[in-house]
Amino acid sequence: MTDTVTPELDRRFRDAAAAAGLLDVGFDVIESPVGPLLVAATDRGLARISYSAEPELHLEQLARAYGPRVLRSARSVASVHRQLDEYFEGRRDEFAVDLDLRGTAPFARHVLEELAHVPYGQTTTYGTLADKVGAPRAARAVGTVMNRNPIPIVLPCHRVVGANGSLTGYGGGLHVKEHLLRLEGALL
């Protein structure tokens, strides 16, 4: 005899686990104009947005960073999902979410905190960010932090360009960086 769980029962189980605070990390894959995004959150806040939306690529890393109870749960990321939808629809220019940057090195955390202040529709450079964190010769190190940004879009590394204004590398691909900057009106 085989017992199967209906999708409705599975969803209710996941929602109940999230509501009861039994998850270390809840995640979901959401559709966006730039492709599917894996979004993960803890009880402290948004922990991850990834352009590599295959959950299997992230489960072990999320469990190591935040705890072993990792479960797909749309409820856990519903607020972020709504805000991302509003952003992509041009109805939101800043995010109102707590962030969970546990495990981020102090220099990287400082850079990401400064990055969060780059306004919608504007760009900055790696060198400018390095100056703002008190490390004027660390533009390359800032570039590495941008490359490893665990929460792109919300922490807007797409707004960081080369010293000459050129679009440089981006985890989601340069076409995504260009799309986001056009959406915000930073590129014509």
Side-chain angles (χ1 to χ4, degrees):
M1 182 166 125
T2 346
D3 290 331
T4 60
V5 175
T6 66
E8 173 62 18
L9 181 59
D10 182 62
R11 184 194 56 75
R12 287 179 37 215
F13 165 77
R14 292 168 189 277
D15 287 349
L22 298 176
L23 303 181
D24 294 317
V25 182
F27 73 91
D28 202 7
V29 175
I30 65 171
E31 293 302 320
S32 81
V34 295
L37 301 170
L38 180 125
V39 180
T42 70
D43 61 348
R44 294 185 189 183
L46 178 62
R48 194 81 78 241
I49 294 177
S50 179
Y51 293 106
S52 300
E54 293 297 321
E56 297 76 27
L57 300 174
H58 302 278
L59 297 180
E60 186 177 324
Q61 180 186 29
L62 289 168
R64 272 195 320 261
Y66 301 103
R69 298 176 305 173
V70 179
L71 187 66
R72 189 167 188 161
S73 166
R75 178 188 181 121
S76 298
V77 297
S79 173
V80 176
H81 187 170
R82 178 183 48 76
Q83 290 184 50
L84 285 166
D85 285 347
E86 292 168 356
Y87 170 80
F88 285 117
E89 292 165 0
R91 298 184 297 119
R92 175 174 289 276
D93 59 13
E94 61 184 47
F95 293 91
V97 296
D98 291 328
L99 304 178
D100 188 343
L101 293 172
R102 277 183 280 172
T104 306
F107 176 76
R109 182 182 298 247
H110 191 51
V111 170
L112 293 171
E113 289 168 352
E114 192 60 45
L115 173 66
H117 298 295
V118 178
Y120 180 94
Q122 296 182 29
T123 60
T124 191
T125 66
Y126 299 96
T128 300
L129 270 180
D131 281 342
K132 288 189 176 194
V133 298
R137 302 177 85 174
R140 281 183 178 268
V142 167
T144 299
V145 172
M146 296 302 101
N147 180 264
R148 295 180 182 155
N149 178 2
I151 310 174
I153 304 171
V154 173
L155 290 175
C157 53
H158 60 277
R159 296 179 190 153
V160 184
V161 298
N164 63 0
S166 64
L167 299 186
T168 56
Y170 187 67
L174 286 180
H175 66 288
V176 172
K177 185 173 192 167
E178 183 177 349
H179 178 91
L180 298 174
L181 290 172
R182 287 189 190 286
L183 172 72
E184 295 183 7
L187 287 179
L188 300 177

